[in-house]
Amino acid sequence: MTQAQNVPTEKSLYIAGQWQSGISTVANINPSDISESLGDFAQASETQVQQAISAAKYAQPEWEKTPLERKQTVLQAIGDELIARCDELGRLLSREEGKPFAEGRGEIYRAGQFFQYFAAEVLRQIGDTAASVRPGVSVEVTREAVGVIAIISPWNFPTATAAWKIAPALAFGNSVIWKPANLTPASAVALTEIIHRQGIPAGTFNLLLGSGSVVGDTLINSKEINGVSFTGSVDTGRKVATATAPNFVRCQLEMGSKNALVIADDADIETAVEAAIAGSFSSSGQKCTASSRLVVMDGIHDAFVDALINRMGSLSVGHALKEGVFMGPVVDSKQLESNFSWIDKARQSGAELAFGGERLNLEHEGYYMSPTLFVNTKNSWEVNQEEVFAPLTSVIRVANLEEAIATTNDTRFGLTSGIITQSLRSSAMFKQQAQSGCVMVNLGTAGTDYHVPFGGRKESSFGPREQGQYAKEFYTIVKTAYQRPY
């Protein structure tokens, strides 16, 4: 039996190469069937956080000096095992997070690809040379590891988001302390168990399950942490930035968004509907790249809304492991309660509920709701300005492309945006003028490649980009060395 099928819940902290118990435990409940528990997982104490920091600080120089081929082998092996076990680990992920198995499996596979990509990047660490302005002097520019990296990752993509942080951190010679979300501990333990088997120096990688008030706060306020990579809410991201600044600790923040998908008058209806469905309702809308605003031009508005409502009626909602399910439950009761509070706020603002908005009672008792569509909404309303993180989207009617672009940009966020159009002129204008870090044409706003930079503008992101070769901007420090022959 693999570790992922029988995770060591009573000893689910990993510090200095050893599994440890914590000061308490939290239950891990399946949101598809709340009668099922995946176990009680340990919670770290402040003392254990300090132990992990000390272990990571001690191990980091040894790991950085480890030969490149050994580092490459380690990351490649992690990626290979994730991909080989994507069915098994995908089921585990779906059981604790609630996304359908196809999405869970795909996430594990993608996490494996991140490790494989950065395994190759290990061997691409090539510096630069330059001629000096001084005769007889040579110049070398190299990159070195930052040191100890604290990684704070969310529950909605518990393995993939962690992987795209952990893989480059290790590839460039850093040690890692990982604090995952408490809602998805089993996936974290499964990944840690894979990393543990690679035989890297004890303390190079550490797993700390626990609360933000204990584990998170201790990490972000520590002077011995050299970098913090965080994905989560804007409020928490602002807290991370505030805590790290006095200690001059570099931080990388990926936060919220309110992404717009523009449907142009000349859009192909089927393409537009499928992009809206995938962007708005896959992962139960619980993703920072969700299409939570549908900005639709006059000429296509009625036909698009009718087609979208018809397509929404065919979406299957159910247990994450049930075959044919498009949308699983939301992650927990707190999220479900928040979703319905947003539905109430939208109605109070004057939005017209065109589809859904209901709590669903299905075969298994879980946190189910129907995909939800509001029409006749204004961009200035709170439901269209704040990140909802729900299977809920709103239609905003506009007259033309200029108004569509202005509406897209009328937000404090700027992670992704998209347009469905057959016009090269319209797509070119949108790509140039959309104020978001990622721009999609004839695609949903969700879904990005792992080998290119990911990040946003405004309050969506802060610090260097994630993923691809751009990841080295956060996980390495540049050194310029001058030399004159003796």
Side-chain angles (χ1 to χ4, degrees):
M1 180 174 289
T2 66
Q3 200 78 3
Q5 292 170 318
N6 186 25
V7 287
T9 57
E10 68 284 350
K11 286 190 175 183
S12 45
L13 308 176
Y14 185 71
I15 302 170
Q18 300 294 322
W19 293 99
Q20 295 187 20
S21 300
I23 55 172
S24 62
T25 60
V26 295
N28 186 15
I29 303 300
N30 183 346
S32 291
D33 182 356
I34 62 175
S35 67
E36 180 189 8
S37 172
L38 280 73
D40 296 322
F41 287 78
Q43 301 286 280
S45 67
E46 185 175 342
T47 298
Q48 288 174 309
V49 178
Q50 296 295 348
Q51 289 174 355
I53 293 173
S54 297
K57 186 176 180 180
Y58 180 81
Q60 190 274 322
E62 181 182 355
W63 174 245
E64 184 172 11
K65 294 174 185 176
T66 298
L68 291 182
E69 286 188 340
R70 169 62 180 146
K71 289 197 191 85
Q72 189 270 340
T73 299
V74 166
L75 268 69
Q76 185 70 39
I78 296 168
D80 290 349
E81 183 166 346
L82 284 167
I83 288 174
R85 296 172 61 191
C86 64
D87 284 350
E88 169 205 348
L89 298 180
R91 287 189 181 91
L92 177 68
L93 191 157
S94 293
R95 284 171 64 204
E96 68 172 352
E97 196 273 345
K99 64 182 59 177
F101 170 63
E103 293 185 28
R105 181 188 185 280
E107 178 174 339
I108 298 296
Y109 196 97
R110 176 52 58 90
Q113 290 177 314
F114 279 116
F115 278 98
Q116 291 178 335
Y117 175 86
F118 282 104
E121 283 297 298
V122 170
L123 302 179
R124 296 193 188 105
Q125 296 183 53
I126 301 171
D128 297 317
T129 61
S132 173
V133 296
R134 291 170 286 179
V137 175
S138 62
V139 182
E140 295 178 354
V141 181
T142 57
R143 289 181 178 270
E144 297 179 352
V146 172
V148 179
I149 304 293
I151 290 172
I152 303 174
S153 61
W155 51 262
N156 60 326
F157 288 91
T159 304
T161 304
W164 79 51
K165 298 174 184 290
I166 295 168
L170 293 178
F172 296 123
N174 301 280
S175 58
V176 170
I177 302 171
W178 178 26
K179 185 219 168 301
N182 254 351
L183 286 171
T184 50
S187 294
V189 170
L191 176 55
T192 300
E193 186 265 344
I194 293 172
I195 295 173
H196 165 71
R197 286 207 302 277
Q198 307 312 314
I200 59 179
T204 302
F205 179 85
N206 305 271
L207 171 68
L208 296 175
L209 302 173
S211 67
S213 60
V214 175
V215 177
D217 284 359
T218 304
L219 289 173
I220 66 176
N221 285 285
S222 174
K223 294 181 179 181
E224 296 181 290
I225 295 291
N226 303 113
V228 177
S229 182
F230 165 83
T231 297
S233 70
V234 175
D235 289 343
T236 305
R238 187 173 287 112
K239 184 177 180 181
V240 173
T242 301
T244 54
N247 296 326
F248 299 108
V249 172
R250 60 174 58 193
C251 68
Q252 176 186 62
L253 311 176
E254 290 296 339
M255 299 170 285
S257 199
K258 197 65 185 175
N259 312 297
L261 178 65
V262 173
I263 314 300
D265 283 343
D266 66 344
D268 175 78
I269 289 282
E270 183 177 353
T271 300
V273 167
E274 292 308 313
I277 291 290
S280 303
F281 307 121
S282 64
S283 300
S284 298
Q286 298 174 142
K287 51 185 182 289
C288 57
T289 55
S291 307
S292 54
R293 292 184 296 153
L294 303 178
V295 180
V296 187
M297 295 187 199
D298 276 332
I300 201 171
H301 178 277
D302 293 352
F304 170 77
V305 169
D306 287 346
L308 179 60
I309 291 172
N310 182 63
R311 181 71 175 88
M312 289 176 69
S314 69
L315 300 181
S316 173
V317 180
H319 194 292
L321 299 183
K322 184 177 180 181
E323 187 175 352
V325 164
F326 175 83
M327 194 177 94
V330 301
V331 72
D332 67 356
S333 60
K334 182 179 179 180
Q335 186 65 50
L336 188 65
E337 182 180 335
S338 172
N339 294 352
F340 282 105
S341 72
W342 278 111
I343 290 172
D344 290 341
K345 287 179 183 178
R347 282 172 159 163
Q348 291 167 12
S349 296
E352 178 186 336
L353 181 64
F355 190 94
E358 301 172 334
R359 173 77 187 266
L360 300 178
N361 296 312
L362 304 178
E363 178 183 359
H364 300 93
E365 185 179 358
Y367 306 120
Y368 298 104
M369 65 177 289
S370 55
T372 301
L373 176 69
F374 282 103
V375 296
N376 298 325
T377 73
K378 297 185 182 300
N379 192 61
S380 60
W381 292 352
E382 190 177 10
V383 72
N384 287 330
Q385 288 294 314
E386 298 299 325
E387 186 172 48
V388 177
F389 233 57
L392 182 161
T393 191
S394 302
V395 172
I396 304 166
R397 190 168 191 157
V398 296
N400 51 43
L401 180 62
E402 289 73 21
E403 186 181 357
I405 293 173
T407 300
T408 296
N409 294 337
D410 184 15
T411 170
R412 64 190 175 104
F413 299 112
L415 183 55
T416 69
S417 61
I419 185 170
I420 309 299
T421 181
Q422 299 182 60
S423 165
L424 290 176
R425 176 182 178 276
S426 295
S427 65
M429 282 184 61
F430 190 84
K431 285 189 291 183
Q432 181 183 53
Q433 298 179 26
Q435 296 171 359
S436 58
C438 302
V439 181
M440 316 296 189
V441 177
N442 295 323
L443 295 163
T445 56
T448 58
D449 290 353
Y450 57 87
H451 66 301
V452 293
F454 175 81
R457 297 170 59 169
K458 306 179 186 178
E459 294 187 28
S460 287
S461 299
F462 179 82
R465 288 289 191 256
E466 298 198 90
Q467 302 184 22
Q469 293 189 9
Y470 285 74
K472 66 186 176 185
E473 300 302 329
F474 179 74
Y475 293 104
T476 66
I477 294 175
V478 173
K479 174 180 284 185
T480 306
Y482 299 83
Q483 180 171 322
R484 183 177 64 188
Y486 179 73

